[in-house]
């Protein structure tokens, strides 16, 4: 358990660059299992989920090592790969699901115990399984684990996802690269991280068109080589720094991340009264802390390009002190707002009812002892603490380090009074 201590009331100044995106890096690490030559992923942040992925790759027989900021992988022959994903690694992160397709294709079978990750409500894997079954996989549920086998190669299919799941699109894109013939994925997720995976796979020799649109077409069975690849910058980390500036006031430049990757969030901050000045891949943000933020916001989190669900708790943290009530509705996850209890402990008046969070606004926040309920909820509590009077003790049972290499260090570098200690 780490405790992050934040004393609010300091404005933020300076510039900050988000690291490579967690939600790009994690599928890319799984995708390296399909490559017949060494790969290098450049600028990979030291996240707990990256460490878990490296442990998982090694557990199934692959070779992956960190070299400074990069991760280098070696190709693994099918006979050295094992399709048994250890329970502790599967349960440590949601992204263990990204190993289903590569291990099924390369090792011939895979057993995945229930994937872990943030508890945001039910997170079934039915679309992953339905797509793989349509490609010819035999799917069996064994208690809390899923077992997949294939007798011959997977077949290309024309498959419609019942909703644009990011994870299922990634699974089926990976499987389609190994399947015989053409796969058409309809109703696919369009998130930038899906495009990034397609970019990586194309650079390795895959033939993929339409990534970033709802219809992706893959010509399968191309031998994939290796590549040196730099993942996208983390748009959710960029939004986190922008939210921190909005809560605390000051002047901050977020560099190295195109504003269109978190455009909906920047638009929201502008509506609240934050000055936003985009300049290439830099966004300069400014806010006078003496002037209240504008509330009265109605936000709907949904799949790309809508307002991102991962930024919904961050938006809530910004709105707690705004001058009028606001409401946020999350279409994707049934329990996105577990952070509301922490906000309330800090003096906010807000109610989470299922997918809806209602925020009264006008709160005078004070420091409190709170606990990170999940990754983005934990980051949102840190953002709220920047605007609170007094000191907040944010206990983190390991969620925040799954997505930010050093959030307390990042905030302190911008001038926040913030430090982390074990225990
Ligand atoms: N869903 C199903 N069946 C499926 C797959 C998804 O019903 O087979 C439902 C989910 O239950 C959820 C909705 O579809 O209600 C959206 O889930 P999706 O599959 O799109 O999300 P994910 O792949 O589980 C990724 C990110 C999340 C991010 C979401 C939405 C990773 C590792 N995780 O999750 O990131 O919130 O997409 O953009 O890529 C985070 O970084 O903190 C995080 C939770």
């Amino acid at each position: 358990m780490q405790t992050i201590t934040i004393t609010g009331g300091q404005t933020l100044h300076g510039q900050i660059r988000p690291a490579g995106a967690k939600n790009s890096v994690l599928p890319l690490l799984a995708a390296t299992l399909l490559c017949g030559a060494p790969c290098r992923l450049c600028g990979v942040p030291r996240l707990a989920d990256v460490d878990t992925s490296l442990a998982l790759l090694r557990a199934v027989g692959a070779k992956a090592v960190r070299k400074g900021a990069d991760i280098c992988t070696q190709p693994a022959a099918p006979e050295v790969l094992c399709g048994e994903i250890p329970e502790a690694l599967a349960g440590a992160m949601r992204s263990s699901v990204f190993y289903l397709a590569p291990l099924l294709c390369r090792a011939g079978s895979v057993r995945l115990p229930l994937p872990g990750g943030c508890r945001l409500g039910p997170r079934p894997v039915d679309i992953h399984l339905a797509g793989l079954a349509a490609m010819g996989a035999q799917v069996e549920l064994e208690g809390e684990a899923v077992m997949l086998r294939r007798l011959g190669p997977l077949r290309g299919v024309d498959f419609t996802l019942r909703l644009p799941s990011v994870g299922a699109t990634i699974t089926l894109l990976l499987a389609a690269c190994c399947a015989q013939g053409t796969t058409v994925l309809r109703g696919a997720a369009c998130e930038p991280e899906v495009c990034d995976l397609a970019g990586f796979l194309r650079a390795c020799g895959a033939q993929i068109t339409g990534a970033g649109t709802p219809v992706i077409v893959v010509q399968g069975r191309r031998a994939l080589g290796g590549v040196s690849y730099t993942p996208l910058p983390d748009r959710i980390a960029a939004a986190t720094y922008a939210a921190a500036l909005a809560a605390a006031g000051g002047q901050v430049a977020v560099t190295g991340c195109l504003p269109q990757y978190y455009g909906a969030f920047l638009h929201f901050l502008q509506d609240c009264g934050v000055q936003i000045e985009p300049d290439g891949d830099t966004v300069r943000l400014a806010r006078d802390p003496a002037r209240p933020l504008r509330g009265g916001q109605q936000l709907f989190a949904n799949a790309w390009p809508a307002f991102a669900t991962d930024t919904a708790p961050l938006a809530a943290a910004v709105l707690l002190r705004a001058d009028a009530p606001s409401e946020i509705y999350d279409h994707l996850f049934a329990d996105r707002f577990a952070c509301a209890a922490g906000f309330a402990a800090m003096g906010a008046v807000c109610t989470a009812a299922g997918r809806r969070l209602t925020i009264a606004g006008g709160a005078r926040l004070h420091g409190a002892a709170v606990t990170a309920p999940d990754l983005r909820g934990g980051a949102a509590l840190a953002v709220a603490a920047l605007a609170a009077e007094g000191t907040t003790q944010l206990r983190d049972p390991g969620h925040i380090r799954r997505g930010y290499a050093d959030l307390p260090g990042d905030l302190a570098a911008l001038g926040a009074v913030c430090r982390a200690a074990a225990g």
Side-chain angles (χ1 to χ4, degrees):
M1 173 90 80
Q2 186 185 54
T3 300
I4 303 174
T5 306
I6 301 172
T7 303
Q10 296 293 318
T11 53
L12 303 186
H13 296 274
Q15 65 175 45
I16 187 153
R17 185 186 185 94
K22 167 177 87 79
N23 292 344
S24 270
V25 165
L26 300 178
L28 293 180
L29 285 168
T32 61
L33 282 174
L34 300 181
C35 297
C39 290
R40 186 176 199 107
L41 299 182
C42 306
V44 174
R46 292 176 185 275
L47 307 176
D49 277 7
V50 169
D51 292 341
T52 305
S53 301
L54 292 178
L56 200 160
L57 280 166
R58 290 179 201 131
V60 299
K63 292 200 176 98
V65 291
R66 184 175 270 287
K67 290 193 177 155
D70 303 347
I71 299 230
C72 299
T73 64
Q74 293 290 330
E79 54 278 13
V80 305
L81 285 175
C82 137
E84 276 288 321
I85 300 178
E87 192 169 337
L89 298 175
M93 59 173 189
R94 175 73 179 173
S95 301
S96 51
V97 77
F98 298 144
Y99 291 82
L100 270 182
L103 286 172
L104 175 66
C105 295
R106 297 295 321 286
S109 68
V110 55
R111 185 175 180 280
L112 174 74
L114 205 61
C118 292
R119 291 208 180 104
L120 305 172
R123 297 181 78 176
V125 292
D126 60 298
I127 307 173
H128 303 244
L129 300 182
L132 292 172
M135 290 178 167
Q138 294 177 351
V139 179
E140 275 174 57
L141 299 178
E142 292 181 353
E144 299 255 280
V146 50
M147 180 79 212
L148 299 185
R149 291 185 187 84
R150 63 175 174 82
L151 297 178
L154 296 181
R155 303 181 294 271
V157 282
D158 191 324
F159 182 79
T160 300
L161 285 78
R162 73 172 171 80
L163 53 86
S165 155
V166 175
T169 301
I170 287 169
T171 289
L172 299 179
L173 194 50
L174 293 169
C177 288
C178 302
Q180 219 157 38
T182 303
T183 295
V184 182
L185 300 176
R186 301 181 195 274
C190 303
E191 267 71 359
E193 292 75 16
V194 171
C195 299
D196 208 28
L197 174 64
F200 169 85
L201 292 168
R202 271 198 305 265
C204 292
Q207 204 173 327
I208 300 169
T209 53
T213 77
V215 182
I216 303 179
V217 180
V218 184
Q219 313 289 341
R221 295 297 264 177
R222 309 262 153 180
L224 299 187
V227 72
S228 179
Y229 194 82
T230 304
L232 274 182
D234 196 320
R235 62 192 168 102
I236 309 300
T240 305
Y241 305 138
L245 173 282
Q251 286 185 320
V252 164
V254 180
T255 65
C257 184
L258 289 170
Q260 49 267 42
Y261 287 140
Y262 58 126
F265 194 77
L266 292 172
H267 194 261
F268 150 71
L269 289 180
Q270 205 160 27
D271 283 350
C272 292
V274 177
Q275 289 170 40
I276 309 271
E277 196 191 310
D279 176 11
D281 67 358
T282 291
V283 179
R284 291 188 188 81
L285 302 104
R287 190 204 142 211
D288 175 356
R291 294 180 60 184
L293 290 165
R294 267 195 300 276
Q297 311 283 338
Q298 297 278 335
L299 298 174
F300 296 90
N302 211 339
W304 177 271
F307 196 86
T309 171
D310 290 335
T311 64
L314 300 168
V318 170
L319 289 168
L320 300 176
R321 294 166 69 235
D323 64 2
S326 296
E327 212 173 72
I328 310 180
Y329 186 90
D330 195 308
H331 282 277
L332 294 185
F333 292 112
D335 194 13
R336 177 46 101 177
F337 298 111
C339 51
F343 291 152
M346 295 165 84
V349 181
C350 61
T351 314
R355 295 170 182 272
R356 189 180 311 277
L357 181 73
T358 311
I359 303 162
R364 197 162 168 179
L365 299 178
H366 54 75
V370 295
T371 301
D374 51 58
L375 167 54
R376 308 303 173 187
L381 291 174
V383 168
L386 297 171
E389 280 169 31
T391 299
T392 293
Q393 305 280 346
L394 169 55
R395 286 184 300 267
D396 177 26
H399 296 301
I400 297 176
R401 276 268 297 117
R402 291 191 30 244
Y404 303 85
D406 183 13
L407 185 62
D410 293 345
L411 297 176
L414 293 173
V417 179
C418 179
R419 64 189 162 75

